[in-house]
Amino acid sequence: QVQLVESGGGSVQAGGSLKLSCEASGNSWSGRCVAWFRQAPGKEREGVAAVDSTGRTTYADSVKGRVTTSKDNAKNSLILQMNRLNEEDTAMYYCAAGDWVPCHPGVRATLRPLSVDEYAYWGQGTQVTVSS
């Protein structure tokens, strides 16, 4: 079992930055795939950034070059640094963790890091609102 708690959301003007944090409790954090998702009103939840157990990162095309995620296995945490925010980034942001340990393409050839189906554990979310 893994429990996840996000923090760091808020309101920011377009062009600004935010840093989201996810604190995890439970076991095998270092061996799990972890990710950030977001969901805007009326839209499906979409993957933003993911890290597998080798440390390899995957980013959605919509955030590439603006967003960086990092996983700290010693602190059981996950960070999402978002820069040059725009109104389309407005959403509830969720931290997620998978069940597979380890988790990388070498043990799961069908791994899809930005798919909701890969993740069994979810936080409650933190709201990000970007205004023009």
Side-chain angles (χ1 to χ4, degrees), residues 30-112:
S30 64
R32 298 181 188 273
C33 281
V34 295
W36 290 97
F37 286 76
R38 66 186 182 186
Q39 188 166 19
K43 294 189 177 181
E44 292 188 354
R45 192 169 295 191
E46 63 172 356
V48 176
V51 188
D52 70 19
S53 60
T54 69
R56 188 175 78 170
T57 54
T58 305
Y59 295 96
D61 288 342
S62 59
V63 303
K64 279 180 182 176
R66 302 189 295 119
V67 165
T68 303
T69 191
S70 57
K71 184 184 181 194
D72 189 329
N73 291 326
K75 296 182 178 180
N76 277 18
S77 66
L78 183 67
I79 300 295
L80 185 71
Q81 177 67 48
M82 301 188 292
N83 301 318
R84 304 199 306 277
L85 287 161
N86 58 62
E87 292 181 335
E88 287 70 39
D89 296 315
T90 295
M92 186 72 80
Y93 283 71
Y94 299 91
C95 177
D99 247 344
W100 288 81
V101 177
C103 179
H104 59 80
V107 295
R108 291 192 61 218
T110 59
L111 181 64
R112 296 174 297 161

Side-chain angles (χ1 to χ4, degrees), residues 9-41:
S11 296
V12 63
Q13 288 195 325
S17 299
L18 275 177
K19 180 180 178 181
L20 306 185
S21 299
C22 174
E23 303 296 325
S25 59
N27 53 26
S28 304
W29 178 252
S30 64
R32 298 181 188 273
C33 281
V34 295
W36 290 97
F37 286 76
R38 66 186 182 186
Q39 188 166 19

